Amino acid sequence: AQSVTQPDARVTVSEGASLQLRCKYSYSATPYLFWYVQYPRQGLQLLLKYYSGDPVVQGVNSFEAEFSKSNSSFHLQKASVHWSDSAVYFCALSRNNYAQGLTFGLGTRVSVFP
Amino acid sequence: EAAVTQSPRSKVAVTGGKVTLSCHQTNNHDYMYWYRQDTGHGLRLIHYSYVADSTEKGDIPDGYKASRPSQENFSLILELASLSQTAVYFCASSEDRGLAEQFFGPGTRLTVL
């Protein structure tokens, strides 16, 4: 069975500070991994995705994520957050590494304060 | 730009009643999905489809049926709505690749009373 764990339900940061959101996965092979963001009362939007190659992948809005096979992790980072980054962030992996839907973590709610 | 629309955006239903949630995409994608999101939780896959007139079960299909009459349209049907089905429902579409981005609709907030 595959699963995604996001250990932090809520994170609070000051504007301009750095942000790291943790994600651990369980899957028998190297998974297709994603980070999505959900702004209030909206659907999800893709931030970045990863399958192979450079373990550090760049995404939209200056987000990046680092894949670690040894740690089964795919942590999301941003060097300097803005108040508009306040949202819920979801880590996900592709079911069976095919277009059969995504398995999501529970999400991390990020609040950015001025 | 890719677009996934859902209707209605919000609905109140009575326990035991029938509910149909509709999804329409203009992405020309073969794959479509229905997820539910409960307050404070991630999304869970209910049903998906990769071709018209065919649907597949996801992780939590019990109590739900799906219908894909055309490439563009994908419906989720609750034949006998229950209190436990109160949630926000999201539809998504994607290309036929495991690493393909899923494009999500804005969601339908369903309240069953």
Side-chain angles (χ1 to χ4, degrees), chain B residues 76-93:
Chain B
L76 186 68
I77 304 154
L78 290 66
E79 295 279 3
L80 295 171
S82 67
L83 295 174
S84 65
Q85 293 177 313
T86 292
V88 179
Y89 291 84
F90 288 98
C91 177
S93 74

PDB file of all heavy atoms in Angstrom, chain B residues 76-93:
ATOM      1  N   LEU B  76     -20.856  12.392 -10.538  1.00  0.00           N
ATOM      2  CA  LEU B  76     -20.809  11.586  -9.316  1.00  0.00           C
ATOM      3  C   LEU B  76     -22.216  11.524  -8.753  1.00  0.00           C
ATOM      4  O   LEU B  76     -22.876  12.554  -8.589  1.00  0.00           O
ATOM      5  CB  LEU B  76     -19.859  12.220  -8.294  1.00  0.00           C
ATOM      6  CG  LEU B  76     -19.611  11.408  -7.038  1.00  0.00           C
ATOM      7  CD1 LEU B  76     -18.811  10.144  -7.365  1.00  0.00           C
ATOM      8  CD2 LEU B  76     -18.865  12.245  -5.990  1.00  0.00           C
ATOM      9  N   ILE B  77     -22.671  10.308  -8.465  1.00  0.00           N
ATOM     10  CA  ILE B  77     -24.055  10.093  -8.061  1.00  0.00           C
ATOM     11  C   ILE B  77     -24.108   9.467  -6.679  1.00  0.00           C
ATOM     12  O   ILE B  77     -23.460   8.435  -6.426  1.00  0.00           O
ATOM     13  CB  ILE B  77     -24.773   9.177  -9.075  1.00  0.00           C
ATOM     14  CG1 ILE B  77     -24.674   9.791 -10.471  1.00  0.00           C
ATOM     15  CG2 ILE B  77     -26.232   8.964  -8.665  1.00  0.00           C
ATOM     16  CD1 ILE B  77     -24.754   8.804 -11.585  1.00  0.00           C
ATOM     17  N   LEU B  78     -24.879  10.099  -5.810  1.00  0.00           N
ATOM     18  CA  LEU B  78     -25.140   9.541  -4.497  1.00  0.00           C
ATOM     19  C   LEU B  78     -26.601   9.101  -4.512  1.00  0.00           C
ATOM     20  O   LEU B  78     -27.510   9.935  -4.485  1.00  0.00           O
ATOM     21  CB  LEU B  78     -24.924  10.588  -3.397  1.00  0.00           C
ATOM     22  CG  LEU B  78     -23.498  11.049  -3.107  1.00  0.00           C
ATOM     23  CD1 LEU B  78     -22.880  11.802  -4.264  1.00  0.00           C
ATOM     24  CD2 LEU B  78     -23.486  11.909  -1.842  1.00  0.00           C
ATOM     25  N   GLU B  79     -26.843   7.798  -4.613  1.00  0.00           N
ATOM     26  CA  GLU B  79     -28.204   7.292  -4.739  1.00  0.00           C
ATOM     27  C   GLU B  79     -29.005   7.509  -3.461  1.00  0.00           C
ATOM     28  O   GLU B  79     -30.182   7.876  -3.505  1.00  0.00           O
ATOM     29  CB  GLU B  79     -28.180   5.796  -5.078  1.00  0.00           C
ATOM     30  CG  GLU B  79     -27.581   5.469  -6.437  1.00  0.00           C
ATOM     31  CD  GLU B  79     -28.548   5.663  -7.592  1.00  0.00           C
ATOM     32  OE1 GLU B  79     -29.695   6.124  -7.353  1.00  0.00           O
ATOM     33  OE2 GLU B  79     -28.179   5.357  -8.739  1.00  0.00           O
ATOM     34  N   LEU B  80     -28.378   7.279  -2.328  1.00  0.00           N
ATOM     35  CA  LEU B  80     -29.022   7.453  -1.026  1.00  0.00           C
ATOM     36  C   LEU B  80     -28.065   8.257  -0.152  1.00  0.00           C
ATOM     37  O   LEU B  80     -27.217   7.702   0.544  1.00  0.00           O
ATOM     38  CB  LEU B  80     -29.328   6.093  -0.386  1.00  0.00           C
ATOM     39  CG  LEU B  80     -30.337   5.204  -1.108  1.00  0.00           C
ATOM     40  CD1 LEU B  80     -30.347   3.812  -0.474  1.00  0.00           C
ATOM     41  CD2 LEU B  80     -31.743   5.812  -1.020  1.00  0.00           C
ATOM     42  N   ALA B  81     -28.197   9.573  -0.201  1.00  0.00           N
ATOM     43  CA  ALA B  81     -27.257  10.417   0.514  1.00  0.00           C
ATOM     44  C   ALA B  81     -27.321  10.172   2.025  1.00  0.00           C
ATOM     45  O   ALA B  81     -28.398   9.960   2.589  1.00  0.00           O
ATOM     46  CB  ALA B  81     -27.540  11.878   0.218  1.00  0.00           C
ATOM     47  N   SER B  82     -26.162  10.208   2.652  1.00  0.00           N
ATOM     48  CA  SER B  82     -26.086  10.020   4.101  1.00  0.00           C
ATOM     49  C   SER B  82     -25.307  11.168   4.732  1.00  0.00           C
ATOM     50  O   SER B  82     -24.560  11.884   4.052  1.00  0.00           O
ATOM     51  CB  SER B  82     -25.406   8.687   4.434  1.00  0.00           C
ATOM     52  OG  SER B  82     -24.043   8.728   4.047  1.00  0.00           O
ATOM     53  N   LEU B  83     -25.500  11.336   6.028  1.00  0.00           N
ATOM     54  CA  LEU B  83     -24.830  12.416   6.753  1.00  0.00           C
ATOM     55  C   LEU B  83     -23.318  12.364   6.568  1.00  0.00           C
ATOM     56  O   LEU B  83     -22.655  13.405   6.465  1.00  0.00           O
ATOM     57  CB  LEU B  83     -25.173  12.340   8.238  1.00  0.00           C
ATOM     58  CG  LEU B  83     -26.630  12.574   8.635  1.00  0.00           C
ATOM     59  CD1 LEU B  83     -26.820  12.327  10.131  1.00  0.00           C
ATOM     60  CD2 LEU B  83     -27.072  13.981   8.262  1.00  0.00           C
ATOM     61  N   SER B  84     -22.779  11.149   6.510  1.00  0.00           N
ATOM     62  CA  SER B  84     -21.326  10.980   6.407  1.00  0.00           C
ATOM     63  C   SER B  84     -20.771  11.426   5.060  1.00  0.00           C
ATOM     64  O   SER B  84     -19.548  11.508   4.892  1.00  0.00           O
ATOM     65  CB  SER B  84     -20.957   9.517   6.641  1.00  0.00           C
ATOM     66  OG  SER B  84     -21.492   8.697   5.622  1.00  0.00           O
ATOM     67  N   GLN B  85     -21.643  11.708   4.109  1.00  0.00           N
ATOM     68  CA  GLN B  85     -21.189  12.157   2.797  1.00  0.00           C
ATOM     69  C   GLN B  85     -21.132  13.680   2.686  1.00  0.00           C
ATOM     70  O   GLN B  85     -20.837  14.208   1.614  1.00  0.00           O
ATOM     71  CB  GLN B  85     -22.080  11.560   1.707  1.00  0.00           C
ATOM     72  CG  GLN B  85     -21.917  10.052   1.600  1.00  0.00           C
ATOM     73  CD  GLN B  85     -22.833   9.410   0.584  1.00  0.00           C
ATOM     74  OE1 GLN B  85     -24.036   9.693   0.552  1.00  0.00           O
ATOM     75  NE2 GLN B  85     -22.281   8.538  -0.229  1.00  0.00           N
ATOM     76  N   THR B  86     -21.381  14.362   3.775  1.00  0.00           N
ATOM     77  CA  THR B  86     -21.160  15.809   3.821  1.00  0.00           C
ATOM     78  C   THR B  86     -19.670  16.071   3.662  1.00  0.00           C
ATOM     79  O   THR B  86     -18.849  15.565   4.446  1.00  0.00           O
ATOM     80  CB  THR B  86     -21.653  16.381   5.157  1.00  0.00           C
ATOM     81  OG1 THR B  86     -23.082  16.272   5.211  1.00  0.00           O
ATOM     82  CG2 THR B  86     -21.251  17.837   5.300  1.00  0.00           C
ATOM     83  N   ALA B  87     -19.308  16.837   2.641  1.00  0.00           N
ATOM     84  CA  ALA B  87     -17.895  17.069   2.321  1.00  0.00           C
ATOM     85  C   ALA B  87     -17.831  18.047   1.153  1.00  0.00           C
ATOM     86  O   ALA B  87     -18.842  18.470   0.608  1.00  0.00           O
ATOM     87  CB  ALA B  87     -17.201  15.761   1.943  1.00  0.00           C
ATOM     88  N   VAL B  88     -16.608  18.385   0.779  1.00  0.00           N
ATOM     89  CA  VAL B  88     -16.377  19.132  -0.459  1.00  0.00           C
ATOM     90  C   VAL B  88     -15.872  18.147  -1.500  1.00  0.00           C
ATOM     91  O   VAL B  88     -14.956  17.367  -1.219  1.00  0.00           O
ATOM     92  CB  VAL B  88     -15.372  20.277  -0.267  1.00  0.00           C
ATOM     93  CG1 VAL B  88     -15.145  21.008  -1.588  1.00  0.00           C
ATOM     94  CG2 VAL B  88     -15.878  21.256   0.798  1.00  0.00           C
ATOM     95  N   TYR B  89     -16.468  18.181  -2.671  1.00  0.00           N
ATOM     96  CA  TYR B  89     -16.132  17.238  -3.734  1.00  0.00           C
ATOM     97  C   TYR B  89     -15.410  17.978  -4.859  1.00  0.00           C
ATOM     98  O   TYR B  89     -15.876  19.009  -5.343  1.00  0.00           O
ATOM     99  CB  TYR B  89     -17.390  16.562  -4.254  1.00  0.00           C
ATOM    100  CG  TYR B  89     -18.001  15.630  -3.241  1.00  0.00           C
ATOM    101  CD1 TYR B  89     -18.861  16.114  -2.257  1.00  0.00           C
ATOM    102  CD2 TYR B  89     -17.680  14.278  -3.240  1.00  0.00           C
ATOM    103  CE1 TYR B  89     -19.395  15.267  -1.292  1.00  0.00           C
ATOM    104  CE2 TYR B  89     -18.210  13.424  -2.280  1.00  0.00           C
ATOM    105  CZ  TYR B  89     -19.065  13.927  -1.311  1.00  0.00           C
ATOM    106  OH  TYR B  89     -19.586  13.084  -0.361  1.00  0.00           O
ATOM    107  N   PHE B  90     -14.286  17.409  -5.254  1.00  0.00           N
ATOM    108  CA  PHE B  90     -13.484  17.990  -6.326  1.00  0.00           C
ATOM    109  C   PHE B  90     -13.411  17.042  -7.502  1.00  0.00           C
ATOM    110  O   PHE B  90     -13.193  15.845  -7.347  1.00  0.00           O
ATOM    111  CB  PHE B  90     -12.060  18.297  -5.843  1.00  0.00           C
ATOM    112  CG  PHE B  90     -11.969  19.453  -4.915  1.00  0.00           C
ATOM    113  CD1 PHE B  90     -11.926  19.253  -3.538  1.00  0.00           C
ATOM    114  CD2 PHE B  90     -11.926  20.753  -5.401  1.00  0.00           C
ATOM    115  CE1 PHE B  90     -11.840  20.321  -2.671  1.00  0.00           C
ATOM    116  CE2 PHE B  90     -11.833  21.828  -4.539  1.00  0.00           C
ATOM    117  CZ  PHE B  90     -11.796  21.613  -3.173  1.00  0.00           C
ATOM    118  N   CYS B  91     -13.548  17.618  -8.673  1.00  0.00           N
ATOM    119  CA  CYS B  91     -13.339  16.903  -9.920  1.00  0.00           C
ATOM    120  C   CYS B  91     -11.995  17.358 -10.496  1.00  0.00           C
ATOM    121  O   CYS B  91     -11.564  18.503 -10.269  1.00  0.00           O
ATOM    122  CB  CYS B  91     -14.465  17.229 -10.886  1.00  0.00           C
ATOM    123  SG  CYS B  91     -14.315  16.486 -12.521  1.00  0.00           S
ATOM    124  N   ALA B  92     -11.334  16.470 -11.201  1.00  0.00           N
ATOM    125  CA  ALA B  92     -10.063  16.813 -11.827  1.00  0.00           C
ATOM    126  C   ALA B  92      -9.935  16.064 -13.144  1.00  0.00           C
ATOM    127  O   ALA B  92     -10.608  15.057 -13.373  1.00  0.00           O
ATOM    128  CB  ALA B  92      -8.891  16.477 -10.904  1.00  0.00           C
ATOM    129  N   SER B  93      -9.049  16.567 -13.992  1.00  0.00           N
ATOM    130  CA  SER B  93      -8.756  15.868 -15.238  1.00  0.00           C
ATOM    131  C   SER B  93      -7.256  15.861 -15.472  1.00  0.00           C
ATOM    132  O   SER B  93      -6.519  16.700 -14.936  1.00  0.00           O
ATOM    133  CB  SER B  93      -9.473  16.535 -16.423  1.00  0.00           C
ATOM    134  OG  SER B  93      -8.846  17.761 -16.775  1.00  0.00           O
TER     135      SER B  93
END
